[in-house]
Amino acid sequence: GTAPSENDGFALGSPELPCKGSVLHRWGACKPCAFFQAPEDKGGCKNGIDCTFCHLCEPGEKKRRKKVHQATKSNTRDRRGGDARVVDCHA
């Protein structure tokens, strides 16, 4: 495949590219902004177009991805038949 151009032809601050962190949204490689969907009175995202997290993700996307990640970790641990934590041999 082809690598995405820096802004994929969209102007930063446009509806298609509301912030810097939204650049990789089309490929699912972005990180959702935990604050963008929050109401203004609860804080919201104060970084605007300079935010390094995605403002295009649906509400709840951060929580959904976390659940998927935890399930994947759990499945890996189950397949190994033990704990998935790394043990420090130098302790």
Side-chain angles (χ1 to χ4, degrees):
T2 28
S5 65
E6 188 170 322
N7 291 340
D8 211 30
F10 298 114
L12 186 59
S14 68
E16 295 84 7
L17 188 63
C19 65
K20 293 176 180 179
S22 299
V23 172
L24 299 175
H25 180 81
R26 288 178 48 178
W27 292 272
C30 59
K31 292 184 177 181
C33 179
F35 302 102
F36 179 67
Q37 301 292 343
E40 288 290 323
D41 64 329
K42 299 284 186 201
C45 180
K46 296 180 178 16
N47 296 321
I49 65 171
D50 290 323
C51 185
T52 57
F53 296 93
C54 186
H55 288 186
L56 292 173
C57 288
E58 295 292 317
E61 180 65 13
K62 184 171 172 60
K63 188 178 280 188
R64 186 193 71 77
R65 289 189 191 182
K66 186 174 182 177
K67 281 184 180 179
V68 168
H69 177 73
Q70 287 175 337
T72 303
K73 235 169 69 171
S74 178
N75 288 340
T76 301
R77 181 177 51 236
D78 292 346
R79 277 194 305 246
R80 283 198 217 152
D83 200 334
R85 286 178 287 171
V86 175
V87 177
D88 184 2
C89 298
H90 303 288

